[in-house]
Amino acid sequence: MAEYEEGQLGEEVPQEEEGMSLQELEGIVSGLIEDAEDYIDQTEAKDRVLANNYYQGLPFGNEEEGRSQVVSYDVRDTISLMLPQVMRTFFGPEKVVEYLPRSEEDVAHAKQATDYVNSVVLGQDNPAYLRFFGVFKDALLKRVGIVKVNWQTKTEVEHEEYSGLDDAALEAVLSSEGIEDAQVASAPLPEFEQAVGMGEVPLEEVPKIHSVTLRRQTETGSVLVDALPPEEFLIDRRAK
């Protein structure tokens, strides 16, 4: 809200409010990032390394020669026992994700969204089972499992050839989207070739048949679901 000061004639003159500068904002964000990195390095990283050592059954480093060198695989056995149960909870049902309609008008849209996410996003475009297996394993071993979701755009270039096109079909092909280059070859219809050759009918008045060679560029997009390594994700030390 703007502040006002009284003018010479009793009028209220608006006084500009000072906002945060870009440098101040960058300083605050940089400080938060550095503090989160320090927290990860000093606290979380040590616990994650220790948990990983337990999982792999590595020696503790205090072994004595001539004494038992046995290591425990309890952490690995426990995680291996829990992972199938966790995966079955999320991927056991026929539908991993289901959208519920809020009203009768939303029934069709909810069904379409449910089918799209389960069949395309988590089926066709992503090996969802394997990705989430890694996420849940990180959660059990490193106390945090993170899913990263992006929109991925792909550009594809295809070469297409058409033949036997009349004028209307040629116009329809050339007016379609994504065409970068097209080469057209035209010839009179066979039944008019002799008349054109003898000069009985002007070439421009004769119906023609066309062949087209073109290059088409199309862009497609898809939802990309991936597991993000915990060490690449910053956590504020005050986060719960």
Side-chain angles (χ1 to χ4, degrees):
M1 181 179 295
E3 297 180 355
Y4 293 86
E5 60 182 9
E6 188 174 343
Q8 294 180 351
L9 302 178
E11 299 177 351
E12 291 185 341
V13 180
Q15 185 177 15
E16 293 186 0
E17 190 179 64
E18 294 184 1
M20 181 183 299
S21 66
L22 181 59
Q23 292 182 347
E24 292 174 334
L25 178 60
E26 291 177 347
I28 293 175
V29 174
S30 298
L32 292 173
I33 292 175
E34 292 177 1
D35 184 66
E37 291 176 340
D38 181 72
Y39 167 71
I40 294 295
D41 294 338
Q42 299 300 324
T43 304
E44 293 295 326
K46 296 179 180 179
D47 293 341
R48 291 173 182 174
V49 171
L50 181 61
N52 187 69
N53 291 342
Y54 278 120
Y55 181 82
Q56 296 187 17
L58 299 179
F60 291 98
N62 58 354
E63 291 77 14
E64 297 181 10
E65 186 177 355
R67 305 194 66 173
S68 175
Q69 306 293 319
V70 175
V71 294
S72 171
Y73 288 94
D74 290 348
V75 174
R76 177 187 297 182
D77 294 342
T78 301
I79 291 178
S80 299
L81 181 64
M82 294 179 63
L83 263 177
Q85 301 177 27
V86 175
M87 294 299 297
R88 193 179 301 112
T89 300
F90 287 89
F91 287 87
E94 181 180 351
K95 299 176 182 178
V96 180
V97 177
E98 183 174 5
Y99 290 84
L100 300 178
R102 294 184 176 180
S103 62
E104 186 176 351
E105 291 77 11
D106 298 332
V107 172
H109 296 289
K111 183 179 183 304
Q112 184 179 25
T114 299
D115 293 341
Y116 174 75
V117 173
N118 287 278
S119 302
V120 179
V121 176
L122 300 179
Q124 175 181 324
D125 294 340
N126 294 277
Y129 187 91
L130 295 178
R131 299 278 169 82
F132 279 90
F133 185 91
V135 171
F136 295 143
K137 184 177 180 180
D138 285 339
L140 293 172
L141 180 61
K142 302 179 180 179
R143 298 191 301 199
V144 60
I146 304 159
V147 179
K148 178 175 65 175
V149 181
N150 284 330
W151 179 259
Q152 184 181 50
T153 302
K154 298 180 182 178
T155 301
E156 298 180 354
V157 178
E158 298 179 349
H159 293 272
E160 303 174 4
E161 295 183 0
Y162 300 90
S163 60
L165 304 178
D166 57 18
D167 293 341
L170 175 65
E171 183 179 357
V173 170
L174 296 180
S175 61
S176 59
E177 296 182 356
I179 295 179
E180 290 189 332
D181 182 35
Q183 298 179 356
V184 180
S186 303
L189 289 174
E191 56 266 30
F192 290 91
E193 289 182 354
Q194 184 177 359
V196 172
M198 297 178 62
E200 297 177 357
V201 181
L203 179 61
E204 58 272 11
E205 297 181 3
V206 175
K208 297 180 178 61
I209 189 171
H210 312 281
S211 298
V212 183
T213 301
L214 57 85
R215 182 178 64 189
R216 186 190 305 274
Q217 177 174 305
T218 57
E219 288 190 357
T220 58
S222 61
V223 177
L224 179 64
V225 179
D226 203 356
L228 183 68
E231 56 269 16
E232 296 182 10
F233 186 79
L234 296 180
I235 303 174
D236 187 272
R237 65 175 69 250
R238 295 172 293 275
K240 297 181 180 180

